[in-house]
Amino acid sequence: VQLQASGGGLVQPGGSLRLSCAASGRTFRNYVVGWFRQAPGKEREFVAAIKWNSRATYFADSVKGRFTISRDDAKNTVYLQMNGLKPEDTAVYYCAADQHLITSSIMNADSYDYWGQGTLVTVSS
């Protein structure tokens, strides 16, 4: 599956952005789709994920209550809605996907074989 991430940009603190992760080549059925981010000088970290079949969602503690993740069957797309953005959310955001991941591996970037190209989110006044 090929992934295309989009929706990044510059936003003021407290603002919102919606990132999109579109799949081509095959559907997301049976996949887990995750979002990770990497800030300058830092390691890539888990942000959120959704199991396509069950719609179960998972979030990093740092984004709980501010970010939501959802899917659109018709568009074969996963969205990351980011509200209440903070300067520390500034990073390149990547979507990733893989099939049949067990819950304990969802937050581990090494569990995912398919990655999008990344989209930059900058939170600054």
Side-chain angles (χ1 to χ4, degrees), residues 1-5 21-34 52 75-78 95-100 111-117:
V1 62
Q2 295 175 324
L3 306 180
Q4 179 71 38
C21 179
S24 60
R26 61 186 307 169
T27 71
F28 274 138
R29 190 174 63 179
N30 299 325
Y31 278 79
V32 174
V33 181
W52 187 265
K75 296 183 178 180
N76 208 29
T77 298
V78 169
C95 65
D98 214 313
Q99 287 184 298
H100 306 302
S111 301
Y112 296 80
D113 284 338
Y114 304 100
W115 289 82
Q117 82 287 4

Side-chain angles (χ1 to χ4, degrees), residues 5-23:
S6 61
L10 173 64
V11 63
Q12 293 186 341
S16 298
L17 280 176
R18 188 178 76 163
L19 305 184
S20 300
C21 179

Side-chain angles (χ1 to χ4, degrees), residues 10 16-17 27 32-33 35 43 46 58 86 95 105 110 121:
L10 173 64
S16 298
L17 280 176
T27 71
V32 174
V33 181
W35 285 96
E43 293 189 355
F46 172 78
Y58 307 84
K86 305 175 182 180
C95 65
S105 66
D110 292 338
V121 172

Side-chain angles (χ1 to χ4, degrees), residues 45-123:
E45 65 174 0
F46 172 78
V47 177
I50 184 168
K51 287 186 176 180
W52 187 265
N53 292 4
S54 68
R55 297 180 185 261
T57 59
Y58 307 84
F59 296 93
D61 288 343
S62 59
V63 306
K64 280 180 182 176
R66 299 188 297 124
F67 291 11
T68 59
I69 188 169
S70 62
R71 67 178 229 207
D72 184 323
D73 291 13
K75 296 183 178 180
N76 208 29
T77 298
V78 169
Y79 299 103
L80 182 68
Q81 178 66 43
M82 306 186 295
N83 299 327
L85 283 162
K86 305 175 182 180
E88 51 264 43
D89 295 317
T90 295
V92 177
Y93 283 70
Y94 299 89
C95 65
D98 214 313
Q99 287 184 298
H100 306 302
L101 295 183
I102 60 175
T103 301
S104 60
S105 66
I106 286 175
M107 296 185 181
N108 185 349
D110 292 338
S111 301
Y112 296 80
D113 284 338
Y114 304 100
W115 289 82
Q117 82 287 4
T119 184
L120 177 62
V121 172
T122 303
V123 185

